[in-house]
Amino acid sequence: MLVPHSMSGKTVGILGLGLSGMAAAHALAAAGATCWLHDDGRAAPDDLPANAIPAHWQDWPWDGLDAMVISPGIPHDLPVPHPAAARALAADVEIISEIELAMRAAPKARLVAITGTNGKSTTTALIGHCLRTAGIAVSVGGNIGDAACNLDDAGPDGVIVLELSSYQLETTPSLHADVALLLNITPDHLDRHGGMDGYVAAKAHILSALPPHGLAVFGEGDGPVGQLAADFLARGGTAVTVSADDLPTDGNLSPALAGPHNAINAAAAAACLRHLGVSEADIAAGMGDFAGLPHRMQHVAQHEGVAFINDSKATNGVAAAC
């Protein structure tokens, strides 16, 4: 568990009691904070941590709250803020994500942060798999798999790999990363960001997480990412832009990485892995036996020469077309 000890003695509201909300509650309890919990659609579980108090958000001690942790599916701003978020803004209570708590835990591991409209889950899982293949300690989570606070610190020789949504990026001001991957940006979640400009700005938060020695990896192929890459380089950042032609091996990729979009994902993963010191041999080995993720270009069956593919996680037109 990543425990934000800097939150010791604080009083925090938690809005949303799904995976990320409960991970936040346990991490804050371990840090010695007091939590007030609310979810519009579910009751608080019976096995609450110490110092966790279930109560309607209207009954929280707003004058004494130091922060509010909001689950990523709950709007804190657009199109209309949740009433608890509006109350927090009016009371000048900081609204943060569960990812922010993990950052405040100050893990010693190197951090890889990954975002994009499409492909971020596959790329996150692929980087984690290749690191394990190379014998490097790694924890993988965030917007995929387990919540960030539930992850173990992989240590100074290890890596934490986090998939981050645009919602999480907006509410994680302390995000820092050794490598940041921005794969692509195509229209999605526009109601939550007030249009395309707001969506691009949310994704761009991942670049501000990089220190001077950090590496930004951009996917080639769309205008918003190309402009962000040019602006980042103009500010003196270190970056690489990858295309489908930049495959890290002789083309011996796993069948789970079929298609030009996955070629870009693999090229971006390889650029990240090289920056982390992974050898070409280990990158090739990991790319070759990557099993892929369920519901993402997942081969289901073959019948009379016809392949049946489960790609049900394609949640927008561009993803389906790929």
Side-chain angles (χ1 to χ4, degrees), residues 271-294:
C272 167
L273 291 162
R274 292 187 189 105
H275 186 75
L276 296 173
V278 180
S279 71
E280 293 296 327
D282 284 333
I283 293 173
M287 298 277 179
D289 66 3
F290 176 60
L293 294 172

Side-chain angles (χ1 to χ4, degrees), residues 210-227:
L210 287 169
H213 66 273
L215 174 70
V217 180
F218 296 95
E220 184 184 66
D222 65 68
V225 170
Q227 186 60 57

